[in-house]
Amino acid sequence: MSLTEQELVRRQHLDALREAGIDPYPAAEWETTHHAADALAAYSDEANDPEAEGTEPIQVRIAGRMQTKRVMGKAAFFHVADESGTIQVYARRDDLEDGWYNAVFKKLLDPGDWLGIEGTLFRTRMGEVSVHASRIVLLSKSLKPLPVEKTVTDEETGETRTFNEVTDPDFRYRQRYADLALHPEVRDVFKKRARMLRTIRDFLDSRDYVEVETPALQPLYGGAAARPFTTHHNALDMPLFLRIADELYLKRLLVGGFEGVYEIAKDFRNEGLSRFHNPEFTMLELYVAFRDYDWMMRLVESMLERIATDLHGTTDVTWGEHTLSFAAPFRRLPIFEAIADKTGHHLRGKTRDEVAEIARQLGLEVDGSMGLGKLIDEIFGEFVEPHLIQPTFITDYPVELSPLAKRHRTEEGLVERFELIAGGKELCNAFSELNDPLDQRQRFEDQVTLAKEGDDEATNTVDEDYLRALEYGMPPAAGLGVGIDRLAMVMTNQPSIRDVLLFPLLRPETGEQPDNGESPLAPYM
RNA sequence: GCCCCUAUAGCUCAGUUGGUUAGAGCAGCGGACUCUUAAUCCGCGUGUCCCAGGUUCGAGUCCUGGUGGGGGCACCA
């Protein structure tokens, strides 16, 4: 791939630096005393006013990426960005090592270079707290120019305007490193995501639930309805599946005597991509012995309340034009009531064919392969779910949809299950876990029948080992699954799952295509 | 898999009913400048107009096919 003029210029700078005896990629540690934000805070600390008579100037050593460079002959200003923010640096020829300013700083350093700066804090005539540099060290040379965005604050209105903002999603997702370097607010999203995960772990650990790890490579897949990725183990010469859920392994651990276990892990589902779906995604699963789905609703309320408060200081979370309230308790609504509210149709007790007719009346496409459960799910997904903006527990699903959930204690044909919907999307799925081994075997066999009838998401194998575990006796338990990515979307107000994944799945870039029949795929050049 | 939108300089974008040499700002290059902040001033345009065909005297512009990206549908307990 040919280099642009700007890339060539930077390579020339690199060569010139080496000729001048400056290592553009030095190994030695550059110990810092401050981040940019700390330095600014230190200066504005009124208890130690640095502008008061007789006060010693504050010495700082900082490190960061050079932003725009404004050279005015024998002095220059530039900003340096580190993880905390930016701070301006004032570099004067006569304050730096002899000849260095003209020969190195002006000619060979470029925006994007990583620099170490030593100096004292002062306030410029324009009022900006800055570092008056006594020493500037190149820490790492940048050979490829980052796009230049400039943000201006209008002094009268206080409004900020950004020029040349990089908005191309292709660029931002593919070159996430550049997106992050350019956009501190994108880094903030991922810091919030990390904090959310830490809150979840704190919350669960404080209840003495044990974080465990179960296989991602599985000889049989199960625990959800989804098509798996398949792979192959060479030494054992056997096919393996990437997990679509952790559920069946975690419940084996309840049999083994753990009373609370959870796992935060990637699941893999071989399905389409969308604003809400990535083929690999992060799932929290939690199983607690001797509890039921009612109890689990209260736990979820309490956990989400805490996540919202930790991230935002309040249970109110902005979601597009809405404000979601995660203050407990959340609304609870049986699925049949929810459907009746939105469509006027009471489906409880109706036969498969009656529901199919209603679905047709509502304008849904119905075909003969759709069972009662599937039809109800379709109606719910089309007419109810998108309208559930505030956090809402939808409860008591038809048994056909839930082969791993316990039958409802009083309602025939239903299971003790809930989903939490917020922002019009499913965030959690939970139930009182089915622990009757004989009922479980029957439901697995029903799934196998569905698979044979052509449902390519039904599991086509009975997991005999799981049934063996259940036969030893699994305590009654409540189980929960939380889509961490979707929760992160809601908690950080991001419209696409790609905005809460550092590296969402994209097609590989096609490289330069020499007309020689070689592979067109050259992802990273 | 289907439908719609979209692709022009490193970045953000303009480009007329098809018209001859494809432009602007920022970035970059050369020069001036010791408190600037989209620094300013003087000079310089750096391009596979996503790709491949086609229509035409002539295509960035129109047509067909393809590729990347976005949105929607389908799929997704």
Side-chain angles (χ1 to χ4, degrees), chain A residues 52-284:
Chain A
E53 278 297 310
T55 310
E56 286 292 308
I58 302 172
Q59 283 280 341
V60 297
R61 270 166 74 96
I62 60 172
R65 199 190 274 282
M66 177 161 66
Q67 315 286 91
T68 57
K69 191 174 161 190
R70 298 180 291 280
V71 177
M72 291 149 301
K74 301 179 186 68
F77 286 94
F78 58 93
H79 277 86
V80 163
D82 65 19
E83 200 184 327
S84 75
T86 65
I87 188 168
Q88 182 171 251
V89 178
Y90 179 48
R92 234 167 34 167
R93 184 192 66 184
D94 298 342
D95 299 330
L96 297 162
E97 190 186 333
D98 257 4
W100 188 89
Y101 177 86
N102 282 326
V104 179
F105 176 77
K106 276 172 75 173
K107 299 230 179 255
L108 304 180
L109 297 190
D110 300 298
D113 290 348
W114 289 92
L115 302 178
I117 288 119
E118 221 172 75
T120 54
L121 295 178
F122 76 112
R123 190 184 293 279
T124 66
R125 275 174 216 159
M126 298 300 288
E128 182 166 349
V129 175
S130 307
V131 181
H132 188 151
S134 53
R135 189 175 163 220
I136 298 173
V137 176
L138 177 61
L139 299 179
S140 178
K141 185 72 192 155
S142 164
L143 293 182
K144 199 171 176 65
L146 283 165
V148 178
E149 294 182 353
K150 292 189 178 175
T151 303
V152 185
T153 306
D154 188 301
E155 286 191 17
E156 287 174 16
T157 65
E159 288 174 12
T160 59
R161 284 202 298 158
T162 300
F163 297 85
N164 295 345
E165 187 173 11
V166 178
T167 54
D168 179 8
D170 189 28
F171 178 91
R172 297 184 52 191
Y173 296 144
R174 223 178 262 293
Q175 302 191 45
R176 181 66 93 181
Y177 31 85
D179 185 34
L180 290 165
L182 245 28
H183 301 124
E185 67 277 16
V186 175
R187 290 202 302 265
D188 279 344
V189 168
F190 291 98
K191 286 183 191 171
K192 283 203 178 90
R193 182 182 168 125
R195 203 180 320 149
M196 184 179 98
L197 283 166
R198 196 172 61 224
T199 297
I200 290 171
R201 286 194 164 96
D202 284 349
F203 181 89
L204 298 174
D205 292 345
S206 72
R207 285 162 174 73
D208 287 333
Y209 305 147
V210 180
E211 182 171 10
V212 297
E213 293 170 279
T214 64
L217 290 173
Q218 305 181 348
L220 292 178
Y221 62 95
R227 279 183 288 174
F229 287 90
T230 60
T231 184
H232 183 262
H233 187 268
N234 288 340
L236 295 178
D237 189 23
M238 66 184 286
L240 286 170
F241 302 100
L242 274 63
R243 71 172 151 220
I244 58 173
D246 311 356
E247 174 149 359
L248 299 182
Y249 281 99
L250 292 174
K251 287 197 284 195
R252 283 170 168 94
L253 299 177
L254 298 182
V255 172
F258 286 102
E259 294 185 7
V261 288
Y262 73 93
E263 181 166 15
I264 296 172
K266 288 282 183 72
D267 288 344
F268 306 87
R269 298 186 183 176
N270 209 335
E271 286 154 2
L273 293 77
S274 81
R275 209 149 63 80
F276 296 97
H277 299 84
N278 195 63
E280 63 175 294
F281 62 100
T282 303
M283 181 80 102
L284 161 67

Side-chain angles (χ1 to χ4, degrees), chain A residues 382-418:
Chain A
E382 185 69 25
F383 298 102
V384 184
E385 190 177 58
H387 304 291
L388 295 175
I389 302 303
Q390 292 299 326
T392 306
F393 290 119
I394 297 295
T395 64
D396 301 341
Y397 285 68
V399 66
E400 299 86 350
L401 285 173
S402 315
L404 299 164
K406 188 172 264 190
R407 289 177 196 276
H408 197 282
R409 63 194 77 180
T410 57
E411 300 292 322
E412 183 70 23
L414 304 186
V415 292
E416 297 202 349
R417 171 176 169 193
F418 70 82

Side-chain angles (χ1 to χ4, degrees), chain A residues 461-488:
Chain A
T461 317
V462 172
D463 190 335
E464 290 292 346
D465 178 70
Y466 178 66
L467 290 174
R468 178 168 63 187
L470 287 192
E471 287 178 10
Y472 282 112
M474 184 178 98
L480 170 72
V482 181
I484 292 295
D485 311 286
R486 287 188 188 173
L487 185 60

